[in-house]
Amino acid sequence: MAKRPRRSSPFDRPRRFRPGRWILRAGIGFVLISVLWVALYRFVPPPFTFTMAGDLLAGRSVTKDWTPLSRIDADMPRAAIAAEDARFCSHHGFDVDAIAAAAISNAQGGRIRGGSTISQQAAKNAFLWQGGGYARKALEAWFTLLIETIWGKRRIMEVYLNIAETGIGTYGVEAGAQRYFRHGADRLTTVEAARIAAVLPLPKKRAATAPTGATRRYGNAILRRMGAVRRDRLDGCLR
């Protein structure tokens, strides 16, 4: 008797590679990991950053000293707001007006400006690398949304002031205060806070001690703006 041919089973069929399914899984995995990462840093100080790794790879040592916001003189966050992000307490991570102004200035061929908020800079410094590119900007926007949602303004400022580069191989305002003024960030004067804030855009090229030229002028401008931050309670979300 002739054997009857075996019926094919769905399990015998070769599995096709479905890129859409893998992309979906990778996307879900990225979202879960990034949310957990941000949630962890809500309570745990970021132990290290890609910028710090760059210093180590370049043969430089890294100095940092995590300090709670409650132990940093109130003039330091005021100086950061005056220098970097006057609408810090009122926006939700992105300052549309500042971004538009920077785009117009750059299109006109003037000095290249950035429109990043303190929230965006905190997200970049904590989770990403320095430099531009659309991919990094997209990731920066994603992490900015997450920290605004999960951390809140006080934690964003606290992380920013502790991991921002304040000198070559120096991270955070506590290490910066010790480097430049030989005392802690809890004893910063208004002038000292303004000078540290003036260093933040170019920490490897500027110093807060006896600044000259553009750094000195920028520090003096920050000092003047700090009065408006205090008077108009632009740092109200930190109190």
Side-chain angles (χ1 to χ4, degrees):
M1 181 182 292
K3 292 184 179 180
R4 298 174 63 181
R6 187 171 64 89
R7 293 182 179 180
S8 61
S9 167
F11 298 102
D12 294 335
R13 298 171 187 168
R15 295 183 179 180
R16 300 181 197 172
F17 174 68
R18 298 179 178 176
R21 179 178 296 178
W22 286 102
I23 292 172
L24 179 61
R25 288 177 178 175
I28 293 173
F30 169 75
V31 169
L32 290 175
I33 290 172
S34 60
V35 169
L36 290 174
W37 194 4
V38 172
L40 177 66
Y41 282 2
R42 170 67 178 83
F43 305 100
V44 177
F48 215 66
T49 67
F50 287 107
T51 309
M52 296 176 190
D55 271 331
L56 290 178
L57 290 174
R60 293 186 288 265
S61 61
V62 169
T63 302
K64 59 188 179 72
D65 189 357
W66 182 272
T67 305
L69 187 62
S70 59
R71 285 171 42 201
I72 297 174
D73 190 277
D75 275 332
M76 190 63 245
R78 286 189 193 116
I81 290 172
E84 305 282 328
D85 187 2
R87 299 184 182 91
F88 173 70
C89 284
S90 59
H91 65 61
H92 299 288
F94 307 94
D95 187 339
V96 177
D97 292 339
I99 293 172
I104 292 171
S105 175
N106 297 340
Q108 292 175 344
R111 183 176 61 88
I112 299 298
R113 297 176 50 184
S116 295
T117 63
I118 287 174
S119 300
Q120 289 174 268
Q121 293 178 58
K124 177 186 68 176
N125 290 338
F127 302 103
L128 302 171
W129 59 94
Q130 302 297 320
Y134 292 114
R136 203 227 65 195
K137 280 294 185 182
L139 290 172
E140 179 185 296
W142 168 247
F143 279 105
T144 299
L145 290 172
L146 288 183
I147 66 174
E148 281 280 341
T149 303
I150 297 174
W151 289 2
K153 294 294 187 180
R154 278 189 61 86
R155 181 60 173 178
I156 290 171
M157 180 62 76
E158 184 173 63
V159 171
Y160 176 68
L161 292 180
N162 273 282
I163 65 174
E165 194 174 8
T166 52
I168 298 176
T170 305
Y171 292 85
V173 298
E174 175 66 26
Q178 293 288 351
R179 171 176 180 157
Y180 296 122
F181 309 117
R182 300 294 185 265
H183 61 70
D186 60 331
R187 293 170 48 204
L188 285 171
T189 67
T190 305
V191 172
E192 290 170 346
R195 288 183 176 179
I196 289 179
V199 168
L200 293 175
L202 293 169
K204 286 184 168 59
K205 296 182 179 180
R206 296 177 178 177
T209 49
T212 60
T215 305
R216 184 179 185 87
R217 291 192 297 273
Y218 185 40
N220 291 337
I222 294 171
L223 191 61
R224 292 191 296 271
R225 295 177 202 161
M226 287 171 66
V229 172
R230 185 185 297 106
R231 182 183 64 252
D232 299 335
R233 297 179 61 86
L234 300 181
D235 59 339
C237 60
L238 304 177
R239 299 181 185 179

